[in-house]
Every structure is written in C-alpha cells, then in structure tokens.
Amino acid sequence: GNSVTQMEGPVTLSEEAFLTINCTYTATGYPSLFWYVQYPGEGLQLLLKATKADDKGSNKGFEATYRKETTSFHLEKGSVQVSDSAVYFCALSDQVQGAQKLVFGQGTRLTINP
Amino acid sequence: NAGVTQTPKFQVLKTGQSMTLQCAQDMNHEYMSWYRQDPGMGLRLIHYSVGAGITDQGEVPNGYNVSRSTTEDFPLRLLSAAPSQTSVYFCASSYRLAGTDTQYFGPGTRLTVL
C-alpha cells in the first residue's frame, strides 16, 4: 500500500539555521502531497501542499517540491525561528474504498533554540 | 467560524467503560473522519463519513463505532474501553472527497484507559 517515510527526529537547531526535513513516499499513481504542522497542545494544520509533479508548495517561509523521479517531498526553510518549534508531518492523499484519506509519516519533532 | 471542535480535551477511563468523543464542524463540510495518533506512528484513520447517514471503516476501526445523523456532527463511540485505546484522537473535515482538498483538524482529545 501507499506509505510515507520521514527522517527521524527529534531535530534541534539554533535560530536562523537552515532546515531540511526529509520525506519520501511510495504510491501508485500520483497522489497529492502535504506537510502538516502540530504546535504544542494543538491539532494539525496544513502548512503547504503540492498536487502534481514539479509543483512547489510554500507558506510561512517553508517550501517543498514534489519530485516524482525521487519520490520525495522534502521540507526546507532558510532561517528558522523559535516559533517554528513543532511536530511536522508529511502526508499523501490516498483512496480507500472510494473515499479520500491521508497517509501520514511518523512525524518529526523540531526544536529551535534561541 | 469555530472550525472543527472536539470535546472533551482530556478523559480518563477504566477498562470496560464506554464513552463518546464529540466532534462538530461549522464549515458545511461533507467529509469527516476520525484519526488516532500514537507515538512514532503518525495518524491512522479509524472511521470516516462522506455525508449525513453514510459512514465507513478506516484502517483501525475495531472497538469504535460512529454515526452521522447531521452534516455538522460526527461522534466517535468507544463501547468497552481497553488500554490499547489510550491515544490522542483527532477529528478532521474537508469540503469534498478530492485528494487535493485540505483537511481541517480539531484540537484533539487525549484519552487514557487504565
């Protein structure tokens, strides 16, 4: 079945460092790809998405490009802030019995130190 | 708009007790779903609904029941709680079934079964 693999955490960086969180997927067809973020004590919220190959999703300084050839959707940010500390989930859309569901990676906990 | 709301935020049950986790959305979304979040496993789909009166199972449905009598509400019932159901539960909704659609998550219910 379809699956998502994220780099293992936790990841700890200093403020203004460059961030990469790796995400690769296995899927039949061409699913949409998502990054969701979960801040402490809150539910998940969409950070960015890409719906077809070579699309780049971006939001709040984060970017990710849908790479079909490497089946990847790595999350990047050029200069992280303390407020970016959260758990990040890579996900793909899948069809189960005719309905859409999200298949999630295991999540990567990011901590940014001042 | 309140978005997706969930109650309670925290709950402790004893083995064998029953309870209902509430979920409501005010965005007129047709599609609603329940996920559970366990450490190191991302989120897994429990049940979903594509509209009022229509529900179906996800990948981990055992021990849970759902119903959808209105567009707004999608309660999740635990009939006889077990320690393996200790988890954080998230309700989500989206406008359509399309794989490109964003799902909106509630803040979660943290359940502990003793």
Side-chain angles (χ1 to χ4, degrees), chain A residues 3 5 11 13 17 20 22 25-26 28 40-41 47 64 67 72 74 77 85 93 95 98 105-109 114:
Chain A
S3 64
T5 302
V11 174
L13 296 172
T20 300
N22 290 337
Y25 67 90
T26 302
T28 54
L47 180 59
R67 301 283 188 202
S72 65
H74 304 322
K77 187 174 184 181
S85 297
S93 62
Q95 292 286 317
Q106 73 270 35
T108 302
R109 182 175 299 278

Side-chain angles (χ1 to χ4, degrees), chain B residues 36-77:
Chain B
R36 59 177 288 173
Q37 182 183 29
D38 300 297
M41 299 185 72
L43 279 74
R44 293 180 292 168
L45 183 66
I46 304 172
H47 284 286
Y48 64 94
S49 168
V50 300
I54 307 169
T55 65
D56 213 335
Q57 296 180 354
E59 56 186 307
V60 288
N62 292 343
Y64 308 95
N65 277 356
V66 292
S67 59
R68 184 99 178 267
S69 56
T70 66
T71 299
E72 294 77 20
D73 299 299
F74 190 44
L76 178 72
R77 297 184 189 85

Side-chain angles (χ1 to χ4, degrees), chain A residues 56-67:
Chain A
K56 178 186 285 188
S58 61
N59 186 27
K60 299 181 180 179
F62 291 89
E63 294 183 340
T65 301
Y66 190 161
R67 301 283 188 202

Side-chain angles (χ1 to χ4, degrees), chain A residues 73-96:
Chain A
F73 193 55
H74 304 322
L75 182 68
E76 296 181 336
K77 187 174 184 181
S79 177
V80 292
Q81 306 299 314
V82 172
S83 57
D84 294 327
S85 297
V87 181
Y88 292 81
F89 292 92
C90 185
L92 62 78
S93 62
D94 193 6
Q95 292 286 317
V96 57

